[in-house]
Amino acid sequence: MAPPILSLALPSETGRVLSIQSHTVQGYVGNKSAVFPLQLLGYDVDPIMSVQFSNHTGYPTFKGQVLNGKQLWELIEGLEANNLLYYTHLLTGYIGSVSFLDTVLEVVSKLRSINPALTYVCDPVMGDEGKLYVPEELVSVYREKVVPVASMLTPNQFEAEKLTGFRISSEQDGREACRRLHAAGPSKVVITSIYIDGTLFLIGSHQKEKGQSPVQFKIVIPKIPAYFTGTGDLMTALLLGWSNKYPNNLEKAAELAVSSLQAVLSRTLKDYEKAGYDPQTSSLEIRLIQSQDDIRDPEIKFNYQLYD
């Protein structure tokens, strides 16, 4: 008789996460950026690699394989055949095709048939700064099918605009975009980066009961003069991790997530400078392993401000 799966027989207080994201052999993006932080925060994490590349696509070249929807479903069937499909959370990031996204929706449905309380945390990665980097047809699938089944959404400003069809050019607009997303499905929304009039900030919104006015807040974030890879993947993982520990206090969870992320970026910048590299030359790989204390026990340096 096979021994029990201890993460099922003796589940952690935090949860068991299925994370469907990209994987790179070298560097920290996708699952490489999300799994380790969640494990540090006490979660059992089972990663499925939507792609396996040698390195991220910002390098001059990359090699590797892409998982298709049929192959994803085979993995789910394998888990189900062995009664291994009980998860408390599903986490998804970059998805490059409609067929794969459609299969992810089937995965959501399957996981909820086993655990109706499943929390689905979705980073709807579509683009940034006015540019799409996924096929246009993915936008409508996210808007019409994914948003309604998500528990928490973590879009950036551009993605929130795409999902709502609403232009964000002020804080009030950001808050309204969150309200529109609540109306479509998720109870928790964090627009992870909004840049208006030279200020970078995050807006979070938690609608605790359907039809209620959401609790909304902002956190002002310093704009670092460098470009990092894997930061969105890390931020969403941290929001999942901390919001589950503080289920009724999204603002506290966001403070902890932002403070961790900023500590990682600050260390990354210093280390590149120490190595004699100009950090403004190209995208930087985050120093995740070296920052584990800041992930596990962040010092809160970035505070939320509640809106009236």
Side-chain angles (χ1 to χ4, degrees), residues 125-173:
V125 181
M126 294 183 287
D128 202 1
E129 296 178 350
K131 284 188 207 148
L132 270 181
Y133 36 67
V134 296
E136 179 74 49
E137 56 266 28
L138 253 76
V139 177
S140 59
V141 180
Y142 270 114
R143 190 189 298 132
E144 294 160 21
K145 296 182 181 176
V146 178
V147 171
V149 298
S151 313
M152 181 194 288
L153 269 186
T154 62
N156 60 29
Q157 180 176 353
F158 173 70
E159 289 157 352
E161 289 176 339
K162 281 285 179 187
L163 291 174
T164 57
F166 182 74
R167 182 124 174 87
I168 300 172
S169 49
S170 68
E171 285 187 47
Q172 276 304 119
D173 291 344

Side-chain angles (χ1 to χ4, degrees), residues 19-23 31 48-52 65-68 94-96 100:
S19 181
I20 305 174
Q21 298 197 59
S22 56
H23 171 81
N31 268 330
I48 290 180
M49 316 311 187
S50 56
V51 305
Q52 176 167 260
Q65 302 82 36
V66 177
L67 196 73
N68 63 37
Y94 174 79
I95 291 165
F100 196 88

Side-chain angles (χ1 to χ4, degrees), residues 60-255:
T61 184
F62 65 93
K63 301 277 185 182
Q65 302 82 36
V66 177
L67 196 73
N68 63 37
K70 180 172 177 288
Q71 291 164 328
L72 169 60
W73 194 249
E74 282 173 0
L75 294 171
I76 297 299
E77 286 178 329
L79 290 167
E80 185 178 28
N82 292 295
N83 295 315
L84 300 175
L85 257 195
Y86 182 89
Y87 290 96
T88 57
H89 295 76
L90 172 66
L91 173 61
T92 62
Y94 174 79
I95 291 165
S97 73
V98 169
S99 63
F100 196 88
L101 189 51
D102 281 338
T103 307
V104 166
L105 286 160
E106 291 179 45
V107 173
V108 176
S109 181
K110 172 64 76 176
L111 294 180
R112 284 204 171 129
S113 73
I114 295 162
N115 175 19
L118 176 94
T119 297
Y120 174 27
V121 177
C122 172
D123 183 3
V125 181
M126 294 183 287
D128 202 1
E129 296 178 350
K131 284 188 207 148
L132 270 181
Y133 36 67
V134 296
E136 179 74 49
E137 56 266 28
L138 253 76
V139 177
S140 59
V141 180
Y142 270 114
R143 190 189 298 132
E144 294 160 21
K145 296 182 181 176
V146 178
V147 171
V149 298
S151 313
M152 181 194 288
L153 269 186
T154 62
N156 60 29
Q157 180 176 353
F158 173 70
E159 289 157 352
E161 289 176 339
K162 281 285 179 187
L163 291 174
T164 57
F166 182 74
R167 182 124 174 87
I168 300 172
S169 49
S170 68
E171 285 187 47
Q172 276 304 119
D173 291 344
R175 295 177 66 190
E176 174 60 23
C178 288
R179 285 190 284 266
R180 292 184 183 204
L181 289 168
H182 288 316
S187 61
K188 294 177 181 176
V189 177
V190 179
I191 304 178
T192 53
S193 59
I194 298 177
Y195 190 62
I196 294 169
D197 297 333
T199 303
L200 183 65
F201 57 96
L202 158 164
I203 288 182
S205 189
H206 184 191
Q207 187 180 48
K208 298 186 180 183
E209 297 286 341
K210 269 290 175 202
Q212 251 185 23
S213 291
V215 175
Q216 296 189 314
F217 61 92
K218 74 171 178 179
I219 300 175
V220 177
I221 305 165
K223 188 143 174 55
I224 299 172
Y227 177 74
F228 305 87
T229 55
T231 53
D233 308 317
L234 173 57
M235 182 64 179
T236 297
L238 292 169
L239 283 167
L240 184 163
W242 288 115
S243 67
N244 189 54
K245 288 173 187 265
Y246 295 96
N248 293 309
N249 197 340
L250 184 60
E251 55 272 28
K252 171 76 170 171
E255 264 189 351

